[in-house]
Amino acid sequence: QVQLVESGGGLVQAGGSLRLSCAASGSVFSIGTMGWYRQAPGKQREVVATISTGGTTNYADSAKARFSISRDDARNTVFLQMNSLKPEDTAVYYCNFFIWEPSRVSGMEYWGKGTLVTVSS
């Protein structure tokens, strides 16, 4: 059984920074693309940033120049460094991994349970 656990959310003032982490545990053989998504109250979940196995990154327009995604494959972990936070960044942030397990022929997509980020004005 694979689990993703996020950490690092919290309350921060506008202009501040937070660093989110998400680690996979369980029967992980390898991990493909990792990503961060967010869902604000009353809105649909949206992608924030993704990073491929080769390190190629993609960002939502709202995250460019302020957020940075990185991965540590030795620790099955992805990070999201968020700087210059704005009140509109307030949301529950979810990590998403595509994981291959030793017992399965094909990979599967896994989600974390989310971590709340609140940015006060």
Side-chain angles (χ1 to χ4, degrees):
Q1 187 76 14
V2 174
Q3 286 188 323
L4 304 187
V5 179
E6 299 107 334
S7 61
L11 174 63
V12 64
Q13 288 190 330
S17 298
L18 283 174
R19 187 179 192 230
L20 305 183
S21 300
C22 176
S25 62
S27 59
V28 176
F29 178 70
S30 67
I31 303 176
T33 297
M34 298 175 171
W36 285 98
Y37 293 71
R38 69 186 182 187
Q39 186 166 17
K43 296 188 176 182
Q44 290 188 329
R45 190 174 298 187
E46 61 179 6
V47 62
V48 176
T50 62
I51 183 167
S52 71
T53 53
T56 299
T57 58
N58 286 285
Y59 296 92
D61 287 344
S62 59
K64 287 179 182 177
R66 298 189 299 127
F67 294 1
S68 178
I69 188 171
S70 59
R71 60 191 288 166
D72 182 341
D73 289 325
R75 293 192 288 165
N76 292 337
T77 300
V78 68
F79 305 96
L80 185 68
Q81 177 67 44
M82 303 187 293
N83 300 324
S84 303
L85 282 161
K86 305 174 182 180
E88 50 264 43
D89 294 318
T90 295
V92 178
Y93 284 71
Y94 300 89
C95 59
N96 173 276
F97 289 8
F98 193 84
I99 295 175
W100 282 270
E101 299 169 67
S103 61
R104 297 181 185 272
V105 174
S106 58
M108 289 182 60
E109 191 175 36
Y110 287 90
W111 290 90
K113 293 184 178 181
T115 185
L116 178 62
V117 172
T118 303
V119 184
S120 63
S121 57

